[in-house]
Every structure is written in structure tokens, then in C-alpha cells.
Amino acid sequence: ADVAVLVLDAEARMLQRQELAIADAVVKEGRSLVVAANKMDLLVDAEYTKEEYAKAVSEQIQIRFPMLRSTPVVSMSSLTGEAVEELMPVVFNARDRWARMIGTGLLNRWLAEVVEGQQPPMVQGRAVKIKYIMQVKGRPPTFILFCNVDKLPVSYLRYLTRNFQETFEMFGMEVRLAVKKSAPENPFSNKKAKGGTGIGGAQFRK
């Protein structure tokens, strides 16, 4: 599946352990996540709006899985039919965002702006230069940062990821950023890059 729809019982108001386990599996498989908060009709008399519930669910997911920040949540009722028609457009939108391929020029304009906003910290006493970024695949969105070092601090990778999600609306999915040490003269040298770290799956960094 391209998109996983996690169906919750809105009456519980809190994510249960089993539901968190499903969200964890979605992250590990690199899929896009949409949450369907069902049984909203049971909360009508509880002075608790569907917007409040949607926000609470999204925040709970973000606390447990920061890479799934701002996950789309559709509050609905399969019994009354309320908002059921809103689910599939959200799913299709999530699929399109998950499969999106972003042009290299646009990516590097974004990189220049975000690095200017916050320079990467030094690594082992060495100034870090992020030379280039390119997307190597979609489904899930996977990118390589060509640098003069073979790793970046996790805190800085998280900063890049948060900014990337905000800029390109990559919410409800894991954005995989890998770091490759490039040759000094050319980040696209035919020589095989040595080493590499990043946030996301390790398979594409081999």
C-alpha cells in the first residue's frame, strides 16, 4: 500500500498502544499515514469538537514519532456518514505528496535558504559545508546531502527535516535524508562515496 489509513475510535480520545504500534510500522515501511478518527458522533454532547480531537491526535503522534508531525487527521462518523466523503481526497493527496519528485534546482534553492538561516555546527573541529542536495527516489521521499564530511549532527538533520516538511508539505510521512561525503572537486564524481549517515532507511545509502 502507498498510504496507510489508521482508523481510531474517537470515543477513546487517546491513541492506544496497538494504534501506536501500527503507526510505528508505517514509519518503518516508509509509507504515508492518514488517520481516520471514527465515531465522532459519540462526542457531540461532550463539548469536544472534531477539530480539537484532530489536533490532539496529531500532537500525540508527533510526540511519539516526530517525523510524522502534522499527520492528516479526518474526524468522521461511519454511522451517520458525517465527513466520510472527506477521507479519500485526503488519502489521494497524501499519496501524491509521498510520490512527489522535486526538481534539483528547487531543492538547492531551498537548501541555500535553510543553511543561511542556521549554519551547520562544526564536526570534529571542522567547518561543515553542505554542497548539494538531490532526490534519489520518491515513495518514500529520499534525498542525499553531499557534504565535505561523512556525517552531520542528528540535531541539525532534524532541523533540516522539519524545515523541509514545512516547505514541501511532506507531512504524515518519513523524509529520508542521507549524508554522503563528496569528492572535493565534484559532488557527482563517478567515484563511489565513502561512508554516510542520515535520518531514514539505510538501504539507499549502500
Side-chain angles (χ1 to χ4, degrees):
D2 297 341
V3 181
V5 179
L6 178 59
V7 181
L8 307 181
D9 184 345
E11 191 176 17
R13 299 195 185 185
M14 293 290 292
L15 287 171
Q16 306 302 309
R17 181 177 300 178
Q18 181 179 2
E19 295 161 347
L20 287 171
I22 294 173
D24 184 46
V26 171
V27 172
K28 290 178 178 178
E29 290 296 323
R31 301 297 188 259
S32 183
L33 178 67
V34 171
V35 176
N38 194 24
K39 299 185 180 180
M40 280 304 303
D41 55 291
L42 300 179
L43 299 183
V44 171
D45 296 328
E47 298 182 356
Y48 190 65
T49 69
K50 65 179 185 179
E51 289 79 15
E52 290 172 331
Y53 179 70
K55 181 180 179 181
V57 169
S58 183
E59 290 174 348
Q60 290 176 51
I61 294 174
Q62 180 176 334
I63 290 172
R64 180 63 178 83
F65 307 107
M67 72 289 293
L68 292 178
R69 58 194 300 269
S70 301
T71 293
V73 179
V74 178
S75 301
M76 53 179 279
S77 171
S78 58
L79 179 63
T80 66
E82 180 184 0
V84 171
E85 74 282 355
E86 297 176 10
L87 179 59
M88 291 312 298
V90 173
V91 169
F92 291 140
N93 177 265
R95 180 197 61 190
D96 292 343
R97 289 184 291 107
W98 177 72
R100 180 183 178 188
M101 295 295 292
I102 303 172
T104 301
L106 180 58
L107 284 173
N108 283 280
R109 287 194 294 273
W110 164 80
L111 180 63
E113 292 178 2
V114 74
V115 170
E116 183 179 358
Q118 181 175 326
Q119 292 289 326
M122 297 182 70
V123 173
Q124 297 180 343
R126 184 180 183 184
V128 173
K129 181 178 180 181
I130 305 177
K131 302 177 181 180
Y132 211 77
I133 183 175
M134 65 178 294
Q135 184 170 7
V136 293
K137 62 177 288 188
R139 309 163 62 90
T142 304
F143 307 84
I144 293 180
L145 294 163
F146 291 92
C147 305
N148 64 336
V149 295
D150 59 7
K151 64 180 179 179
L152 292 173
V154 173
S155 60
Y156 195 75
L157 283 170
R158 288 174 178 164
Y159 160 73
L160 294 176
T161 300
R162 287 194 301 270
N163 193 290
F164 189 93
Q165 288 180 315
E166 290 284 354
T167 302
F168 297 104
E169 299 182 339
M170 294 290 191
F171 298 121
M173 67 190 73
E174 181 183 35
V175 174
R176 296 179 173 179
L177 295 178
V179 178
K180 288 283 189 180
K181 185 175 182 180
S182 64
E185 69 280 358
N186 183 3
F188 291 102
S189 172
N190 290 328
K191 296 179 181 179
K192 186 176 181 181
K194 297 181 180 179
T197 60
I199 291 180
Q203 187 176 20
F204 62 89
R205 297 198 297 270
K206 295 180 180 178

